[in-house]
Amino acid sequence: MENFIATAEADIKLTGAEKTAILLGELGMALSDDIIERVGLSEREKKAINAAFKKFGKYNPHSRFEALREVQVLQEVMNYGDYKGILPPPKPDFYQQKQNEVLGMMKNNPDTVVNLLKTWLGDDD
């Protein structure tokens, strides 16, 4: 979760309708429809969310700005869940797990890792 928090940029200003559109887009159609029904949105709120969807257009996963915007909204949701005490315990971080595996390999068989590094560095010659 620390890596996720570090990537959020609070400088991106979004309206409530834009945040809602991004979150609903992330959750997918079935879950979004259920949430909209439970919230009981007014027609004005529904129109504002639809306008935000149209404004954003098709999502471009290669756009840094769009990714940061998405991360910001997801971070806000996670912060709220943490504040309310309803956030599930974090899963082991994939990179931390891999780092621990490499450290274990270093402790158990350092020559293997040394040989790999020598091979990589030899490729630069």
Side-chain angles (χ1 to χ4, degrees):
M1 188 164 143
E2 288 175 9
N3 292 338
F4 186 71
I5 291 170
T7 62
E9 289 188 13
D11 294 340
I12 300 171
K13 302 297 181 209
L14 298 168
T15 67
E18 290 171 336
K19 290 178 188 179
T20 302
I22 290 170
L23 181 60
L24 293 177
E26 281 297 303
L27 296 175
M29 188 73 93
L31 190 53
S32 294
D33 288 344
D34 184 44
I35 289 172
I36 289 171
E37 186 177 317
R38 288 174 188 251
V39 172
L41 298 174
S42 69
E43 284 305 311
R44 183 184 61 77
E45 290 168 325
K46 288 178 185 177
K47 285 180 183 179
I49 294 167
N50 284 333
F53 269 119
K54 288 178 184 175
K55 174 184 167 188
F56 290 148
K58 184 175 170 141
Y59 178 70
N60 177 3
H62 303 294
S63 165
R64 182 179 187 278
F65 177 75
E66 290 182 39
L68 289 173
R69 192 174 61 190
E70 184 178 63
V71 166
Q72 179 178 321
V73 170
L74 294 173
Q75 182 62 57
E76 198 169 324
V77 170
M78 290 179 67
N79 289 346
Y80 182 78
D82 186 40
Y83 171 74
K84 289 293 190 178
I86 56 175
L87 187 67
K91 294 180 181 176
D93 180 52
F94 174 79
Y95 296 103
Q96 183 66 46
Q97 181 182 349
K98 293 300 170 196
Q99 182 182 27
N100 289 339
E101 289 173 10
V102 171
L103 288 173
M105 186 169 58
M106 271 298 289
K107 289 177 186 173
N108 295 330
N109 196 346
D111 291 340
T112 302
V113 177
V114 169
N115 289 335
L116 174 62
L117 296 178
K118 284 182 180 178
T119 301
W120 285 350
L121 294 170
D123 290 343
D124 292 341
D125 292 336

